[in-house]
Amino acid sequence: MRRWIPARSSVFGRHHGRNLRLFSTVVNDVERVSIRNGSSGIITIDLHNIAKVSSADPLLIYLPPYSTAFTGRPVQLPRFIQRQPTAVINYRWAGFAPLKAEDFRASESNEQSGVEHPHLSWPAPIHDAARAYDWIVENLGPSSYTRRDMYIYGSYLGASLATSLALTETHPHERMGIRGCVAYNGIYNWTMFLPDHPINKMPKLRSMNILEEILSGPDEPNFLELKQHSGALFGRPDNLFDPFASPCLFFHTPGLLVPPSFDASAIAPETLLPDLSALADDIQDVLAPLKPPRKSALVFPPRKSTLKIPEILLLHSTPPPLPPSLQRRRQRRKKDYLGNSFRAQADELAGLMQRSINKVELKERSKWDEDFEGWNDEATRRVQVHDTGLNTGDLELRSKGEELAATWLDDHIGGGRSQ
């Protein structure tokens, strides 16, 4: 039975003077809160198990693998977090929605009832996630002068959003804040899908035939789907360069020019360039073809900020195996060419986060900490990458991945529970 009730300040705490148009509905013991996000419309947050725990107990934030804002009912939690107090952010992100049959029927019912489904591409989802996060901090904080830790879990599209939130909202000194993140099969640098990115450049071997294309490309259907939907998800190629979409770009410049489309190069082929040799040198310099800028490292977090690189578990799947004959061909290829994949995405982000810890955070700490020698493995302790096994084609985290995530969360959340 569904019942609509106005949210009470005694339940949801302080609003800091904001005039929030806020309602909640309770369905199967899950409370759905609706809040307005400026002129872009209403976003919803589903609260699971919140009333069963103390306001000082750790809280989990879940970002689903694709937009579930229009399914009409609360999303089912992954098994390994079903007992955790969890706030699900139903961000709106059009362009990729592999709905299950029951979700499709619920969404179709909403359409027939006249519910508007605006086509929201980037940057709408990060605005929704940030607005929902602000509401969670303002309304689900501890009731006394204690602290409340938050951890984020996201997969696929939700993993990109989760890592961006974790990287920009981990302030250890705050009473309520993000302390860690688990992400599964996320895209952490969307510019790696562009033709000009170095990862898409084949080694200079013999000319590539159709078989070589098969061997060089990613084998995971979900990865290919995200690549194919990048245009619908982001609208314009320049949106791929937003660090909140591609969190790797918090740590370095893209080293790429923005192309005219998602599948085109920003640099004209040499065969199409005019012959400038007859012109004066200064005119040749002006008319010379564009070259991609050099990729440069950035200092992140900024030195004067209170941000800190969060503890994070990056999980990725393994592509399904090729037929034996193709496996032998791939094994004979250059060992250092792995191509773009969920593994490559996780490895790049992990390497950048670990480098930041070593080169920025620990370098500063070494100037004043007399016991600094004990911090040698801090980067690899805080930033971990694990393979979860074969990708079966759906979007669910399988048993090995659930075990890894559950163990990581128990190690972090288990010690923070009030007795």
Side-chain angles (χ1 to χ4, degrees), residues 139-385:
N139 296 280
L140 300 180
S143 56
S144 61
Y145 292 102
T146 57
R147 291 167 60 87
R148 187 169 205 180
D149 298 336
M150 289 187 289
Y151 295 86
I152 304 183
Y153 170 62
S155 59
Y156 295 91
L157 296 182
S160 302
L161 298 173
T163 52
S164 292
L165 273 181
L167 286 168
T168 56
E169 295 292 345
T170 299
H171 299 275
H173 69 285
E174 291 186 352
R175 290 177 53 227
M176 184 174 184
I178 295 174
R179 314 299 183 213
C181 175
V182 178
Y184 171 57
N185 275 0
I187 304 298
Y188 311 114
N189 187 351
W190 287 88
T191 69
M192 291 169 70
F193 286 135
L194 296 175
D196 291 338
H197 195 281
I199 202 168
N200 298 315
K201 305 294 184 183
M202 287 292 297
K204 292 183 178 180
L205 304 170
R206 61 189 181 279
S207 60
M208 185 171 64
N209 56 31
I210 294 176
L211 180 58
E212 292 291 331
E213 286 191 35
I214 295 173
L215 295 176
S216 64
D219 306 312
E220 297 177 88
N222 297 334
F223 191 85
L224 288 171
E225 272 195 286
L226 291 175
K227 178 181 179 180
Q228 292 164 359
H229 286 81
S230 58
L233 289 165
F234 288 94
R236 306 193 316 264
D238 60 307
N239 282 329
L240 302 181
F241 292 72
D242 184 345
F244 287 92
S246 300
C248 286
L249 300 186
F250 284 119
F251 300 93
H252 65 76
T253 59
L256 299 170
L257 296 170
V258 178
S261 66
F262 290 91
D263 55 0
S265 172
I267 302 172
E270 292 184 6
T271 55
L272 299 180
L273 295 174
D275 184 5
L276 305 177
S277 58
L279 300 177
D281 290 344
D282 55 344
I283 297 179
Q284 287 188 36
D285 292 339
V286 173
L287 298 179
L290 290 174
K291 294 183 179 180
R294 172 179 284 184
K295 184 170 74 172
S296 303
L298 300 173
V299 175
F300 187 88
R303 296 187 189 278
K304 294 185 179 181
S305 79
T306 59
L307 283 172
K308 187 176 183 179
I309 296 294
E311 297 195 29
I312 190 168
L313 174 66
L314 296 170
L315 302 173
H316 66 83
S317 58
T318 299
L322 291 169
S325 59
L326 293 184
Q327 284 189 43
R328 288 191 293 271
R329 290 289 297 270
R330 173 168 283 184
Q331 289 167 1
R332 290 197 294 267
R333 292 171 56 82
K334 270 197 169 184
K335 298 295 184 181
D336 59 349
Y337 182 73
L338 297 176
N340 198 6
S341 64
F342 287 126
R343 172 187 170 183
Q345 294 279 333
D347 285 344
E348 180 183 358
L349 180 60
L352 292 168
M353 294 177 70
Q354 290 173 354
R355 182 183 184 279
S356 174
I357 292 172
N358 286 324
K359 299 292 186 180
V360 180
E361 180 182 327
L362 297 186
K363 186 176 180 181
E364 291 296 319
R365 189 181 187 96
S366 66
K367 296 176 181 178
W368 55 266
D369 190 348
E370 296 179 355
D371 299 322
F372 177 72
E373 291 182 1
W375 292 80
N376 291 337
D377 63 346
E378 177 69 0
T380 53
R381 182 193 70 80
R382 293 230 305 262
V383 181
Q384 301 178 26
V385 181

Side-chain angles (χ1 to χ4, degrees), residues 65-80:
Y66 54 89
S67 177
T68 54
F70 308 117
T71 57
R73 61 187 180 84
V75 64
Q76 183 176 357
L77 296 180
R79 285 180 300 177
F80 70 97

Side-chain angles (χ1 to χ4, degrees), residues 35-38 40-45 63 67 69-70 89-93 120-121 123-136 161 165:
I35 57 176
R36 177 165 290 281
N37 189 14
S40 70
I42 299 294
I43 57 175
T44 59
I45 306 169
L63 290 146
S67 177
F70 308 117
I89 298 178
N90 296 301
Y91 59 89
R92 297 167 296 171
W93 197 348
L120 296 166
S121 60
I126 193 63
H127 292 166
D128 283 355
R131 177 69 186 93
Y133 177 78
D134 287 344
W135 185 91
I136 291 168
L161 298 173
L165 273 181

